[in-house]
Amino acid sequence: MILQCKIGINKHSIYSDPINAFRTIKPKSKYILYVVKEANTFFYVGITTQKIQTRLSGSYRAYKNRYNKQQYNGYSGYKWIEGCLNNKKHLDLYLFELPSESNSADIKKFSEAIEAELVYCIRAETNQWPKYQHEIHFHNIETAKKIASEIFKKLIK
């Protein structure tokens, strides 16, 4: 894990608590897996090659402009924003650096496989999919299961 922090949502942005938590991230690999949850409820699992601050703020802008979908190619931001906007509670954000070397020639598929296997671990353990998860990409890569299982253990401690 490279970061665990709280995030909040207000009418202006998604922000980290402590405020500059995102600036401490110096990933060595291309892909970052991120998990958003509140207490024992998993909200979302995703992967990104962007800085997490850029990823979250881009989704927030798309959400705020969701009625102008042409501007964002039909993307309307994370579904969990609406459920948490102006909620005084903070959400937990976990970031994991994914291995950049693998047996897979396609690092994107390998990262998607880890993401999907983690979502499946959550489903198997909690009997529910992450609350606002809307898509995952399954790829049958055996080592992804092991990595996802290790990540899941860190999330439920």
Side-chain angles (χ1 to χ4, degrees):
M1 183 171 1
I2 58 172
L3 181 70
Q4 175 185 354
C5 70
K6 299 282 186 184
I7 57 172
I9 305 167
N10 61 29
K11 63 181 181 177
H12 303 291
S13 66
I14 297 174
Y15 60 91
S16 67
D17 184 13
I19 293 296
N20 291 321
F22 298 145
R23 294 175 195 237
T24 65
I25 304 168
K26 305 272 191 262
K28 297 178 191 112
S29 69
K30 184 175 181 178
Y31 281 89
I32 299 293
L33 180 133
Y34 58 103
V35 178
V36 178
K37 64 185 277 206
E38 180 182 42
N40 293 323
T41 302
F42 287 88
F43 280 16
Y44 188 78
V45 177
I47 56 170
T48 186
T49 57
Q50 297 175 309
K51 292 179 180 178
I52 194 64
Q53 187 171 8
T54 303
R55 179 71 189 103
L56 294 176
S57 63
S59 183
Y60 187 82
R61 277 192 310 279
Y63 168 78
K64 291 298 274 185
N65 294 292
R66 65 192 175 278
Y67 301 111
N68 183 5
K69 290 188 177 193
Q70 189 173 12
Q71 181 179 355
Y72 291 93
N73 295 321
Y75 179 59
S76 57
Y78 295 119
K79 304 287 187 212
W80 51 265
I81 291 173
E82 188 161 350
C84 300
L85 187 62
N86 296 322
N87 183 341
K88 301 283 186 217
K89 296 180 183 177
H90 284 83
L91 304 175
D92 296 306
L93 174 69
Y94 299 86
L95 303 178
F96 297 89
E97 193 168 24
L98 296 181
S100 55
E101 68 284 335
S102 71
N103 295 336
S104 171
D106 188 344
I107 190 65
K108 182 179 181 191
K109 281 186 179 178
F110 182 65
S111 297
E112 287 177 342
I114 296 168
E115 173 192 28
E117 292 295 345
L118 179 57
V119 169
Y120 186 74
C121 284
I122 292 166
R123 170 75 165 117
E125 189 68 29
T126 67
N127 215 20
Q128 293 183 342
W129 297 107
K131 189 173 181 176
Y132 297 100
Q133 195 77 31
H134 51 87
E135 75 174 324
I136 49 177
H137 303 102
F138 281 102
H139 303 284
N140 289 317
I141 300 173
E142 194 62 36
T143 54
K145 291 178 188 177
K146 182 178 183 245
I147 294 167
S149 178
E150 291 169 6
I151 291 171
F152 184 72
K153 288 175 189 169
K154 292 176 183 176
L155 291 169
I156 58 170
K157 281 187 175 182

